[in-house]
Amino acid sequence: MRESERKRAIAGLGMAFISVFIPLFHFILAAMALYTVKDIHTKPLRLYVRTTKWMSYLTIGMSVVECLYWVYVLFIH
């Protein structure tokens, strides 16, 4: 095993683990956004609250799917 191969293998593993954890951070941020707007009922802000909610739900769904994909690629496949 050459040193350059070892460095590339370590770099690849690091990038793969970062790819797994980034969706988790997105999930946390989306949940925090939902928590922030949960009790806003002012009529002029309704569009902002609706947009925040559907974007957060979309982000949560995408991050769950992405986490499942990376877990499959890294550990099951």
Side-chain angles (χ1 to χ4, degrees):
M1 173 174 61
R2 292 184 303 196
E3 187 65 25
S4 63
E5 289 176 336
R6 184 176 163 272
K7 286 181 181 178
R8 286 190 319 178
I10 291 172
L13 183 63
M15 287 186 277
F17 277 108
I18 288 171
S19 297
V20 168
F21 289 116
I22 285 176
L24 294 175
F25 295 131
H26 291 161
F27 181 88
I28 292 168
L29 286 173
M32 288 170 54
L34 285 174
Y35 181 77
T36 302
V37 299
K38 72 175 182 164
D39 57 354
I40 297 175
H41 301 293
T42 311
K43 194 167 187 145
L45 299 176
R46 186 180 302 159
L47 178 63
Y48 296 111
V49 172
R50 281 189 193 160
T51 305
T52 301
K53 285 183 178 179
W54 74 259
M55 287 176 67
S56 295
Y57 290 135
L58 182 66
T59 303
I60 288 171
M62 288 171 45
S63 64
V64 167
V65 169
E66 193 174 354
C67 278
L68 292 173
Y69 168 76
W70 281 110
V71 166
Y72 172 77
V73 166
L74 289 176
F75 303 115
I76 298 172
H77 190 259

